[in-house]
Amino acid sequence: MTGRILVAGIGNIFLGDDGFGSEVVRRADIPAEGAEVRVIDYGIRGMHLAYDLLEGWDTLILVDAVPNRGNPGALHVFQADHDWRSDPAALDAHHMDPAAVFANLRALGGTPPYTVVVGCEAGSVEEGMGLSEPVAKAVPRAARAVEEIVAALRTPSAPQVIREEC
């Protein structure tokens, strides 16, 4: 698979581990070749991401904290399910909800691109800056995963579905 790739770090850096996506995109070493690959820390700017997705991206890589299933710091890499339904008005100025982003994108007349999520189970999303120790330790692995996904997507014979647990 080749084409334009948008790497989006999302999350609120003022809510502990929710800032995971922002930290990963700051650390990932992704060669930006022309307009083919763009890496952006969106933070909590969901509407900005929805508008940027109108630019015709072939692939979106979302980097975000995911709910804790009992193993803070565990990484999960999977293809997003775009059947999420959410109210386009559900955007919150202090929180980024991918379902609301995709709902707003649809309301604007766009279609979500093929989307891969690189998620880390959060330990704490309480008010405060800084990642918990297990989530901070996952950042280099997640940055490598994003780098590898971008490299794989840049090859003509890349798979359409990426599923992995790290």
Side-chain angles (χ1 to χ4, degrees):
M1 172 182 248
T2 58
R4 298 180 67 223
I5 302 167
L6 177 60
V7 179
I10 61 176
N12 188 333
I13 63 169
F14 297 109
L15 294 177
D17 291 342
D18 196 50
F20 172 79
S22 297
E23 187 63 27
V24 170
V25 297
R26 278 195 288 275
R27 290 215 193 162
D29 183 19
I30 300 169
E33 299 172 17
E36 298 301 308
V37 178
R38 190 184 309 164
V39 181
I40 299 177
D41 175 6
Y42 283 94
I44 58 173
R45 296 173 297 147
M47 201 64 199
H48 185 178
L49 175 56
Y51 276 111
D52 281 356
L53 288 171
L54 290 172
E55 295 176 15
W57 296 95
D58 298 297
T59 302
L60 169 65
I61 301 172
L62 279 178
V63 186
D64 194 10
V66 296
N68 185 352
R69 296 185 208 157
N71 195 9
L75 289 179
H76 302 278
V77 179
F78 56 93
Q79 181 179 345
D81 175 5
H82 289 296
D83 287 337
W84 297 338
R85 296 292 175 226
S86 183
D87 178 4
L91 283 180
D92 177 344
H94 303 288
H95 180 65
M96 163 76 86
D97 176 13
V101 170
F102 295 134
N104 277 287
L105 174 62
R106 285 186 188 98
L108 292 167
T111 303
Y114 171 73
T115 303
V116 176
V117 177
V118 176
C120 179
E121 290 187 37
S124 172
V125 290
E126 299 297 318
E127 283 189 23
M129 292 185 71
L131 303 176
S132 66
E133 184 178 344
V135 173
K137 285 182 178 179
V139 168
R141 290 190 336 255
R144 267 192 318 277
V146 170
E147 293 162 6
E148 291 170 3
I149 292 166
V150 169
L153 289 169
R154 303 283 327 239
T155 63
S157 61
Q160 289 293 317
V161 178
I162 297 176
R163 288 192 187 272
E164 174 183 333
E165 297 218 10
C166 305

